[in-house]
Amino acid sequence: MEVFKSFYPDEHLDSSYEIDYGALYRRGIRGLLFDIDNTLVPHGKPETAQAVALFRRLHAMGFETCLISNNQKPRVEPFAKAMETRYIYNAHKPSVKNYRRAMEEMGTDENSTVFVGDQLFTDVYGAKRCGIYSILVKPIHPKEEIQIVLKRRLERIVLHFYKKSLKK
């Protein structure tokens, strides 16, 4: 459905940990922006060995990284320190301001940056508004705050039409 296209991700994958980051690097991508909750770890949980290992591997490959979260500093800062990455908290996604700020800090632009997140109406929509390639991943854990649960119901409708558009 045409009205939903601004919410369609460029890719839809099962997990942040299954992305072919080597292929992105070969394509010229040098900056990776990530949401935290339900993208890298279950909602509200601290860093995991898997997340730390991913960021170490990405940095070793030559990627710049930044976390962009609508959460507050007490949640985002310690997580970012564990990942040894830049971060922006209280980002007001889908506002494009902090996507642009993150690219500026990483020294990348729309053509060399990818956003990875688990929500259509904040993560993907903000990236698309900014002209950034977006990868939607499935939420890691089903337990979420009530406002996110309600958004997930609407996301299912958009994803239905997204998947139909891929078959065309």
Side-chain angles (χ1 to χ4, degrees):
M1 189 176 269
E2 195 72 31
V3 70
F4 294 139
K5 279 193 175 185
S6 58
F7 300 106
Y8 290 176
D10 294 297
E11 288 185 58
H12 185 205
L13 301 172
D14 286 341
S15 167
S16 300
Y17 301 99
E18 295 177 9
I19 295 169
D20 186 345
Y21 293 102
L24 291 176
Y25 194 87
R26 289 188 297 278
R27 236 179 53 205
I29 301 302
R30 295 298 181 265
L32 298 170
L33 307 176
F34 288 90
D35 179 47
I36 298 172
D37 287 320
N38 262 341
T39 298
L40 294 168
V41 295
H43 187 84
K45 298 294 182 188
E47 75 278 356
T48 61
Q50 183 182 32
V52 171
L54 173 64
F55 274 68
R56 283 190 182 139
R57 184 168 62 95
L58 295 174
H59 295 150
M61 292 173 74
F63 284 109
E64 297 292 329
T65 59
C66 185
L67 302 174
I68 300 184
S69 176
N70 285 346
N71 273 305
Q72 300 304 309
K73 189 174 184 177
R75 166 70 175 136
V76 180
E77 184 177 59
F79 193 92
K81 283 185 178 177
M83 300 298 112
E84 298 180 0
T85 190
R86 296 170 181 84
Y87 64 95
I88 297 172
Y89 64 91
N90 197 22
H92 300 286
K93 294 179 293 184
S95 170
V96 300
K97 175 184 164 192
N98 286 310
Y99 289 82
R100 290 190 177 122
R101 181 175 142 211
M103 287 187 290
E104 188 176 308
E105 288 183 16
M106 293 188 306
T108 61
D109 62 20
E110 295 85 356
N111 298 314
S112 61
T113 305
V114 165
F115 188 91
V116 180
D118 69 299
Q119 292 189 51
L120 287 176
F121 301 128
T122 53
D123 301 329
V124 170
Y125 183 54
K128 290 194 77 85
R129 290 179 64 211
C130 206
I132 300 171
Y133 192 88
S134 62
I135 300 176
L136 177 71
V137 295
K138 292 180 181 172
I140 291 174
H141 194 274
K143 186 176 184 283
E144 297 180 298
E145 297 171 342
I146 187 64
Q147 71 271 17
I148 296 172
V149 170
L150 296 173
K151 283 195 286 185
R152 293 282 185 213
R153 290 181 180 163
L154 296 173
E155 283 183 351
R156 279 197 288 271
I157 295 166
V158 175
L159 285 171
H160 168 78
F161 287 104
Y162 166 72
K163 288 172 185 173
K164 278 180 74 169
S165 77
L166 292 177
K167 292 178 183 174
K168 289 182 183 176

